Amino acid sequence: MMLTLSESEARDASELTLKQDAFRMHCLQVVSAYRLPGAMIGAGFIRNMIWDALHHYTVASPLNDVDVVYFDKTDTSRDTEQEYEHRLAKHCPDVNWEVRNQARMHHYHNDAEYSDTGDGIKRWVELQTCVGVHLSGKQISWFAPYGLAENWKGEIRINPQFPRPTVYEERIKQKQWTERWPELTVIWP
């Protein structure tokens, strides 16, 4: 299954799908209330939502976690991230929150220092994972450095800007995406 959308069509389809998902909208509202600098929810939060839509699933696929990313060079401690996870869990106890400050994640990935939240997101393993969303009031803001249209193609593709083939192959096997979404096509490097 391959759906070819313009970037504008993909953005509209993503926004419509997101607005119809009460759970995801609630998560965005909760994260927005904390006003973390440069905060976005990314990765499977959006990727899985779009793949569910492509497969016409009426029940959302369960999320392993909800990835909240932000950027704060003044406090890069893991303790602070865990404190945010605990605070978010008080508002949504059924969510497995994973909070990561992108100002420290370059150490984890052996990269050069990141300049902002988006700089971290654009380095994630698969193109379809490199997406974030933020809610400010009622305004939805997207960050998709490789385009949201990539997510609607029905493919899983390695990030060619920051390729890590071994990690990519491990994730494809471990995550079992093609079992959950059988119409996806894996593009092997």
Side-chain angles (χ1 to χ4, degrees):
M1 155 203 41
M2 183 170 214
L3 187 56
T4 304
L5 298 176
S6 70
E7 189 56 27
S8 174
E9 292 169 329
R11 194 167 293 262
D12 290 347
S14 300
E15 192 153 324
L16 177 63
T17 305
L18 179 60
K19 286 180 176 178
Q20 293 173 344
D21 189 319
F23 167 76
R24 282 178 169 81
M25 289 302 295
H26 180 67
C27 288
L28 283 168
Q29 291 165 347
V30 169
V31 169
S32 177
Y34 281 95
R35 300 183 190 274
L36 291 166
M40 293 183 223
I41 302 179
F45 185 80
I46 297 301
R47 180 198 61 222
N48 295 8
M49 177 193 78
I50 292 171
W51 288 350
D52 282 350
L54 284 171
H55 284 75
H56 306 287
Y57 293 163
T58 57
V59 175
S61 295
L63 292 167
N64 295 333
D65 55 34
V66 172
D67 295 295
V68 178
V69 291
Y70 69 102
F71 192 85
D72 183 359
K73 288 178 93 169
T74 66
D75 181 355
T76 58
S77 77
R78 178 68 183 119
D79 290 341
T80 300
E81 294 170 345
Q82 290 174 332
E83 177 59 30
Y84 283 124
E85 289 171 358
H86 293 300
R87 289 181 189 176
L88 291 167
K90 287 181 183 177
H91 286 91
C92 298
D94 296 337
V95 174
N96 180 23
W97 296 98
E98 184 172 287
V99 179
R100 297 292 181 266
N101 183 353
Q102 297 303 288
R104 77 170 186 86
M105 292 308 292
H106 65 284
H107 295 296
Y108 180 76
H109 296 291
N110 295 315
D111 286 336
E113 191 172 311
Y114 300 162
S115 59
D116 57 24
T117 306
D119 197 21
I121 290 173
K122 75 179 184 183
R123 296 166 190 267
W124 291 347
V125 178
E126 307 85 22
L127 288 183
Q128 294 71 25
T129 303
C130 298
V131 62
V133 64
H134 171 75
L135 184 65
S136 180
K138 293 185 181 197
Q139 179 67 39
I140 295 172
S141 300
W142 297 93
F143 179 79
Y146 309 109
L148 281 167
E150 276 295 327
N151 291 70
W152 289 93
K153 286 182 180 178
E155 297 175 342
I156 308 168
R157 186 181 304 275
I158 195 168
N159 183 342
Q161 299 296 317
F162 305 95
R164 295 184 304 225
T166 305
V167 175
Y168 177 75
E169 291 176 23
E170 287 173 14
R171 284 174 55 86
I172 297 294
K173 291 174 189 168
Q174 174 196 23
K175 301 265 185 193
Q176 299 181 331
W177 287 323
T178 55
E179 283 79 11
R180 175 65 188 147
W181 298 282
E183 294 183 40
L184 292 177
T185 301
V186 177
I187 310 298
W188 295 102

